[in-house]
Amino acid sequence: MDAPPRSDMLMRGDPLAGLLEGPRARGAFMIRACFDPPWCVRVEDRAPLSIMLVVRGDAWVVPDEGEALRLRAGDLAIARGPDPYRCADEPATPPQAVILPGGECSYPDGRSLKGHWDLGVRSWGDRLEGSTVLLIGTYMMRGEVNRRLLDALPPLLALPSDVWECPLTPILAVEMVRDEPGQEVVLDRLLDLLMITALRAWFSRPEAAAPAWYQALADPVVGRALRLLQDDPARPWTVAALAAETGVSRAALARRFGELVGEPPMTYLTGWRLGSAADRLRESDDTLETIARHVGYGSAFALSSAFKRVYGVSPQEHRARPA
């Protein structure tokens, strides 16, 4: 019997963590940015998700479309890609650098900035003791399981320090500039923890407009049904079997699930299975037959047919594509 990967085990019991873990951060772009005004960096990295934590001073996050967001010391912001935005001391300050895909940096005219603003281990900007210091972590690839999560987020959100105090700031500030064996893995896990903690805090706020699946987790019937489907997608589920597990009638479960989640139980399960398969294709060397059994399809052919119908490409093409 195949042992489940760590990401599958972490999905059990905590659907939000599972959605974010879809793939976990692996070699995330982590930087301590230090600036004196005037400063402005344009971000065009097309990354799916970035988190910015202001340690000292003030900063503005200015999207190409939408309202600018002011951050003060202790505030945290999350930007959902791929749309570009600017980080600056003031909204009107012109860009001095551009962040490109893969963490590459250039001047606005296209000349490479490589090495010119380096300040040491994962530190970048004007000077280490700049009046503004931000800790920035960026997920470099978009997994398929966390698509539900990304689609639920606004392009830009903030958690001010007066409504939420980040418990990980001191740890992240220390670990960000350490250069020891295994440090990249430590930072990846810290980024995961910071992101999950921040998103939990965000979804608990009235203005967050939490997605239906997140709100449904609080329901004693539908919340249990969601966890059952996510914990054991390979089980040959039917609405009747799911209703028996949750202690309600088939009709009652179907009606309640549809009202709270916005889609029928089996439609949700199909999306979860295919998303899990998409992630496993990229994060493992498992055969298509093994993946099919793991996510609840009877054969590689059945999985391949369903996958291509939903994603428009075959599983093999999806695996071969750059992340």
Side-chain angles (χ1 to χ4, degrees):
M1 182 175 179
D2 298 314
R6 179 175 176 270
S7 58
D8 291 351
M9 292 188 287
L10 284 173
M11 282 191 278
R12 301 182 186 277
D14 190 343
L16 177 57
L19 286 163
L20 188 59
E21 276 284 328
R24 307 185 312 274
R26 293 193 297 272
F29 180 70
M30 304 284 285
I31 199 78
R32 180 176 182 260
C34 312
F35 294 108
D36 285 319
W39 62 273
C40 179
V41 177
R42 181 170 174 81
V43 181
E44 298 180 356
D45 60 4
R46 301 190 62 79
L49 211 57
S50 295
I51 193 164
M52 294 160 273
L53 184 59
V54 182
V55 176
R56 184 167 66 236
D58 292 354
W60 285 84
V61 183
V62 187
D64 282 6
E65 297 183 8
E67 295 184 5
L69 181 67
R70 185 174 188 177
L71 303 175
R72 296 178 173 83
D75 293 354
L76 177 146
I78 295 175
R80 186 201 69 199
D83 295 338
Y85 56 92
R86 291 178 289 119
C87 291
D89 66 314
E90 295 288 347
T93 303
Q96 298 160 324
V98 181
I99 308 298
L100 301 168
E104 294 295 322
C105 306
S106 73
Y107 288 104
D109 63 7
R111 291 177 296 127
S112 175
L113 191 63
K114 187 174 182 179
H116 291 189
W117 282 14
D118 288 353
L119 297 174
V121 178
R122 298 183 195 88
S123 297
W124 187 76
D126 297 327
R127 62 185 183 96
L128 285 174
E129 299 306 318
S131 60
T132 299
V133 175
L134 300 91
L135 304 181
I136 301 170
T138 299
Y139 287 80
M140 304 301 285
M141 62 180 271
R142 177 171 181 151
E144 301 299 338
V145 171
N146 67 15
R147 182 169 59 183
R148 289 179 183 267
L149 176 63
L150 293 173
D151 290 347
L153 297 175
L156 187 62
L157 66 88
L159 284 170
S161 60
D162 59 349
V163 301
W164 180 72
E165 183 177 354
C166 179
L168 297 171
T169 302
I171 301 172
L172 194 60
V174 171
E175 294 293 338
M176 184 80 79
V177 295
R178 295 181 70 177
D179 189 16
E180 297 185 9
Q183 193 64 20
E184 185 177 276
V185 176
V186 171
L187 291 172
D188 283 349
R189 298 293 74 77
L190 281 174
L191 177 60
D192 289 340
L193 184 57
L194 177 63
M195 187 66 75
I196 292 170
T197 304
L199 289 174
R200 280 177 173 158
W202 166 254
F203 282 133
S204 70
R205 297 188 56 75
E207 69 269 25
W213 58 259
Y214 187 83
Q215 296 174 347
L217 292 171
D219 184 84
V221 172
V222 178
R224 174 164 170 72
L226 284 167
R227 290 180 175 91
L228 286 167
L229 295 176
Q230 292 172 1
D231 287 352
D232 192 7
R235 183 170 167 178
W237 287 108
T238 62
V239 177
L242 195 59
E245 291 280 1
T246 55
V248 297
S249 71
R250 182 181 183 277
L253 175 64
R255 182 179 64 253
R256 196 178 185 100
F257 198 102
E259 289 173 351
L260 295 182
V261 180
E263 59 187 348
M266 296 302 100
T267 302
Y268 180 90
L269 176 61
T270 297
W272 185 267
R273 282 172 167 170
L274 293 176
S276 298
D279 281 335
R280 191 151 174 150
L281 283 163
R282 285 228 170 109
E283 68 179 18
S284 78
D285 295 324
D286 292 343
T287 65
L288 192 58
E289 193 71 38
T290 297
I291 294 173
R293 293 199 310 271
H294 171 78
V295 301
Y297 283 88
S299 66
F301 177 78
L303 171 59
S304 183
S305 298
F307 196 96
K308 190 164 187 177
R309 185 168 60 251
V310 172
Y311 287 98
V313 296
S314 70
Q316 293 85 353
E317 289 171 321
H318 173 81
R319 173 174 265 171
R321 281 180 171 181

